Amino acid sequence: DALWNNMAYWLLGTITNDASKLARYAGFYKAIQSLGAAVSWQLDAKNVAFKTQLIVNWVLLDVAAALMFYLSFRVKNSAEEDKELVEDVKSDPNSRASTV
């Protein structure tokens, strides 16, 4: 679990350097994580067979791993975003970027 979370947070951090975007992404990630915990509790509360619970967990893991694998190869260099931000501040000191 710790390895999975570490990879997820690393990917979130590589998507952008904008703190407000990162906060939204992290909030979405935690919401999906909480949803998964709620579903697992409900499966247990409804006395779903253990084999069915195992199948559901593996299917969800496979889908999430495929998406994470795809995203990890689409990571771009966020330093380019920083260069654009610096150029925007230099060209217009009153822009929103200057207050970030």
Side-chain angles (χ1 to χ4, degrees):
D1 187 49
L3 181 62
W4 182 266
N5 280 322
N6 192 21
M7 178 70 173
Y9 283 122
W10 176 79
L11 281 173
L12 287 175
T14 60
I15 292 172
T16 183
N17 287 335
D18 185 1
S20 62
K21 284 184 184 179
L22 286 174
R24 285 192 297 268
Y25 293 153
F28 179 75
Y29 172 69
K30 293 304 283 182
I32 296 300
Q33 192 176 35
S34 297
L35 177 68
V39 167
S40 69
W41 279 98
Q42 276 301 311
L43 287 174
D44 192 41
K46 302 289 184 187
N47 294 322
V48 175
F50 292 129
K51 188 173 184 177
T52 305
Q53 291 182 35
L54 181 66
I55 291 169
V56 167
N57 283 327
W58 276 103
V59 167
L60 291 175
L61 176 67
D62 289 343
V63 169
L67 291 172
M68 188 176 282
F69 184 76
Y70 172 75
L71 183 60
S72 65
F73 283 101
R74 304 240 334 142
V75 171
K76 62 179 181 170
N77 186 358
S78 59
E80 296 300 321
E81 193 176 301
D82 289 343
K83 287 179 186 175
E84 291 173 12
L85 186 64
V86 169
E87 292 302 320
D88 287 345
V89 171
K90 285 180 180 176
S91 65
D92 184 12
N94 296 324
S95 70
R96 179 188 173 275
S98 66
T99 61
V100 175

